[in-house]
């Protein structure tokens, strides 16, 4: 059976620039075959590994568990990360000798009908900065990775749900995804206009019935609602700031706090103290009064109120960054279905739409911590890297209480208000 074709993002560059960030954030589980391969590299004889330091740690509490991960250094870095931020395995034996999880990052592979869509994780600073070679010119390299990730007898799963009650086949589902992507492709529209249009468009998808809408009729329907949203939200739309509701503000702060966390091995290893600290922080975020708890060392203790005043328009560089971010996530189906807790497209886009105010809230926190009330591109770049670390990968984001929070923000129309409130 031949491998399915890859659908590569056309507007994204990426090459690893050896920042070492991914080696400090992730827990890398290894397969038995990978463990055996690394054991044969004889790291116990390498002077760069402290004597007696194991390179693997058993996972789980069961004494009969056969799951292992790479060990970490005291600061949370992978045991194989050297002082220059480089991988010791890669340097000594080449990239194919590393665990597959390390070779894959920051790529992500998602079913898309007869193809497999390729997306990227923007927790990687090089992906955020669009550094390196165009991704669509790296098909041979990405093909080798995909062939290791996909099952040998890959079978396309059924298409994810479109909304809470409707499911379509892959051809029509992909038409919907492509139409959503095109809402962000308008060359002369501001990003916030595009996002608000996409949100209004998604609400129409949520409310519609598709019993007889297939094929050509789907094309006509998508063209119709696309035109309707552009007419409703023209390019000269007044983007005046509208404060979210009191309950919406509370739920949003709790959501933003989860995006701002740094869930690394070094943090999780604090055990009960870590859980108690997070509980106390959640109470502070719910109240929204006083100083914001420092969820990681990168943040400063500033008042919640300092993030609520206008911070000015998005810098032009950030407009382009957000358009690229959203288009890569949409083209890569990186917001619903198998890529995102198996939720339907409409709910998945509400999650993705909330990424914008969450990123902007974190960017404001970074700016306020430096004594500024305006944003720099670096604030937004770093905020995307912090927030996207969790997107589709933190188990908490797929739990009922988090999903309920997103649905509540949608029903109360607070997502739109949060976009305008923190986007300016």
């Amino acid at each position: 059976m031949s491998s399915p074709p890859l659908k590569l993002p056309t507007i994204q560059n990426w090459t690893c620039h050896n920042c070492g960030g991914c080696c400090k954030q992730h827990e890398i589980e290894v397969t038995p075959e990978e463990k055996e391969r690394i054991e044969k590299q004889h790291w116990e004889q390498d002077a760069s590994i402290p004597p007696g330091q194991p390179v693997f740690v058993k996972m789980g509490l069961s004494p009969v568990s056969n799951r292992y991960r790479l060990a970490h250094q005291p600061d949370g870095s992978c045991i194989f990360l050297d002082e220059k931020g480089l991988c010791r395995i890669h340097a000594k034996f080449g990239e194919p000798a590393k665990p597959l999880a390390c070779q894959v990052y920051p790529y992500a592979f998602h079913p898309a009908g007869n193809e497999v869509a390729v997306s990227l994780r923007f927790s990687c600073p090089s992906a955020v900065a669009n550094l390196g070679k165009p991704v669509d010119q790296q098909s041979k390299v990405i093909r080798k990775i995909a062939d290791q990730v996909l099952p040998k007898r890959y079978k396309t799963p059924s298409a994810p749900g479109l909304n809470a009650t409707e499911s379509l086949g892959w051809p029509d589902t992909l038409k919907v995804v492509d139409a959503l992507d095109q809402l962000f492709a308008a060359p002369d529209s501001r990003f916030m206009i595009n996002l608000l249009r996409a949100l209004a468009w998604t609400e129409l998808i949520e409310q519609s019935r598709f019993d007889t809408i297939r094929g050509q009729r789907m094309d006509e329907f998508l063209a119709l609602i696309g035109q309707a949203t552009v007419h409703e939200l023209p390019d000269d739309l007044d983007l005046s700031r509208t404060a979210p509701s009191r309950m919406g503000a509370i739920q949003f702060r709790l959501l933003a706090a989860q995006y701002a966390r740094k869930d690394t091995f070094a943090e999780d290893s604090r055990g009960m103290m870590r859980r108690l600290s997070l509980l106390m922080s959640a109470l502070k975020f719910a109240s929204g009064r006083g100083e914001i708890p420092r969820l990681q060392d990168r943040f400063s203790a500033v008042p919640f109120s300092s993030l609520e005043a206008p911070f000015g328009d998005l810098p032009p560089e950030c407009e382009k960054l957000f358009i690229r971010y959203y288009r890569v996530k949409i083209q890569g189906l990186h917001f619903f279905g198998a890529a995102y807790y198996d939720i339907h497209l409409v709910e998945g886009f509400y999650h993705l739409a909330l990424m914008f105010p969450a990123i902007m809230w974190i960017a404001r926190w970074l700016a306020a911590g430096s004594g500024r009330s305006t944003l720099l591109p670096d604030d937004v770049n770093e905020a995307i890297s912090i927030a996207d670390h969790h997107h589709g990968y933190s188990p908490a984001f797929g739990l009922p209480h988090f999903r309920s929070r997103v649905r509540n923000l949608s029903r109360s129309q607070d997502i739109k208000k949060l976009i305008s409130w923190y986007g300016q």
Side-chain angles (χ1 to χ4, degrees):
M1 181 180 294
S2 60
S3 301
L6 299 180
K7 182 180 179 181
L8 302 175
T10 58
I11 55 173
Q12 179 68 43
N13 302 334
W14 184 76
T15 302
C16 179
H17 285 76
N18 299 320
C19 69
C22 53
C23 305
K24 299 176 182 177
Q25 298 190 70
H26 300 288
E27 187 176 87
I28 302 299
E29 183 174 357
V30 294
T31 65
E33 294 77 15
E34 289 171 337
K35 181 174 181 290
E36 181 180 3
R37 183 175 72 233
I38 294 172
E39 286 173 338
K40 289 180 178 178
Q41 294 169 0
H42 297 297
W43 288 98
E44 73 279 1
Q45 301 173 11
D46 193 296
S48 66
I49 305 295
Q53 167 67 56
V55 296
F56 302 105
V57 174
K58 183 173 286 191
M59 300 177 68
L61 300 177
S62 171
V64 296
S65 171
N66 62 351
R67 294 176 60 198
Y68 288 85
R69 62 169 174 81
L70 297 183
H72 292 83
Q73 301 177 46
D75 66 354
S77 300
C78 173
I79 189 64
F80 291 110
L81 188 68
D82 69 16
E83 62 281 355
K84 298 178 182 178
L86 303 176
C87 174
R88 292 185 171 95
I89 296 178
H90 191 153
K92 196 169 184 179
F93 298 100
E95 184 174 29
K98 299 192 296 187
L100 179 58
C102 303
Q103 298 179 52
V104 170
Y105 185 87
Y107 291 115
F109 301 90
H110 309 130
N114 295 325
E115 298 179 306
V116 169
V118 179
S119 182
L120 285 91
R121 299 183 65 178
F122 279 64
S123 50
C124 173
S126 292
V128 175
N130 209 27
L131 299 177
K133 187 177 178 181
V135 170
D136 62 358
Q137 295 180 18
Q138 303 186 55
S139 57
K140 290 184 179 179
V141 173
I142 299 172
R143 176 84 265 169
K144 290 181 181 179
I145 298 172
D147 286 345
Q148 296 181 75
V149 172
L150 300 175
K152 296 299 181 184
R153 296 186 177 181
Y154 176 77
K155 183 179 180 181
T156 303
S158 300
L162 189 61
N163 56 31
T165 61
E166 305 278 344
S167 294
L168 309 176
W170 274 112
D172 287 313
T173 300
L174 293 175
K175 286 181 179 180
V176 175
V177 172
D178 289 342
L180 179 57
D181 175 50
Q182 287 306 304
L183 290 170
F184 290 92
D188 300 322
S189 298
R190 294 175 58 187
F191 167 75
M192 283 177 56
I193 297 289
N194 292 337
L195 182 56
L196 290 170
R197 284 173 179 168
L199 199 57
W201 181 93
T202 303
E203 290 172 347
L204 292 174
I205 295 289
E206 181 175 30
Q207 298 159 11
S208 300
R209 297 294 302 273
F210 294 86
D211 297 353
T212 61
I213 301 177
R214 297 288 192 280
Q216 181 63 36
R217 294 195 68 180
M218 176 62 78
D219 295 333
E220 295 167 356
F221 172 78
L222 293 172
L224 182 65
I225 65 171
Q227 292 166 7
T229 53
V230 172
H231 183 267
E232 179 187 353
L233 302 167
D235 287 339
D236 59 355
L237 179 72
D238 178 15
L239 291 174
S240 56
R241 299 179 81 227
T242 304
S245 67
R246 178 178 177 276
M247 185 55 65
I250 292 172
Q251 298 210 35
F252 173 73
R253 285 194 300 270
L254 291 169
L255 177 145
Q258 287 188 281
Y259 278 117
R261 284 166 49 172
K262 189 172 185 179
D263 295 334
T264 63
F265 170 77
E267 292 292 329
D268 292 342
S269 63
R270 292 169 53 196
M272 184 60 71
M273 291 299 295
R274 166 70 168 169
R275 290 191 288 273
L276 181 60
S277 174
L278 290 174
L279 174 60
M280 298 303 294
S281 294
L283 295 174
K284 289 282 288 182
F285 274 92
S287 74
R289 293 191 296 269
E291 289 189 338
I292 308 174
R294 295 179 62 212
L295 296 176
Q296 53 173 293
D297 292 342
R298 180 61 187 87
F299 295 120
S300 302
V302 300
F304 279 99
S305 59
S306 66
L307 308 192
E308 301 305 315
F311 268 57
D313 292 337
L314 271 177
E317 305 96 311
C318 299
E319 287 264 340
K320 294 178 182 178
L321 169 58
F322 275 116
I323 289 173
R324 176 165 51 86
Y325 174 79
Y326 271 78
R327 295 196 68 192
V328 168
K329 295 295 180 181
I330 292 168
Q331 291 176 9
L333 281 65
H334 205 166
F335 67 103
F336 74 112
Y340 200 83
Y341 314 111
D342 289 316
I343 66 179
H344 57 78
L345 183 146
V346 166
E347 184 182 349
F349 186 74
Y350 291 150
H351 285 245
L352 187 60
L354 279 164
M355 282 293 287
F356 174 68
I359 290 166
M360 294 298 289
W361 192 89
I362 294 171
R364 287 169 173 236
W365 191 356
L366 295 169
S370 298
R372 290 181 280 106
S373 59
T374 57
L375 295 179
L376 299 177
D378 285 349
D379 299 323
V380 177
N381 288 4
E382 186 174 358
I384 285 185
S385 181
I386 290 170
D388 197 65
H389 172 71
H390 301 279
H391 182 79
Y393 293 91
S394 172
F397 286 61
L399 294 176
H401 75 272
F402 189 92
R403 293 178 59 184
S404 176
R405 183 177 297 151
V406 174
R407 286 193 292 268
N408 290 338
L409 288 169
S410 171
R411 291 170 186 152
S412 65
Q413 298 294 301
D414 275 308
I415 298 181
K416 297 175 184 176
K417 296 173 186 176
L418 289 163
I419 289 170
S420 69
W421 188 252
Y422 292 109
Q424 300 173 77

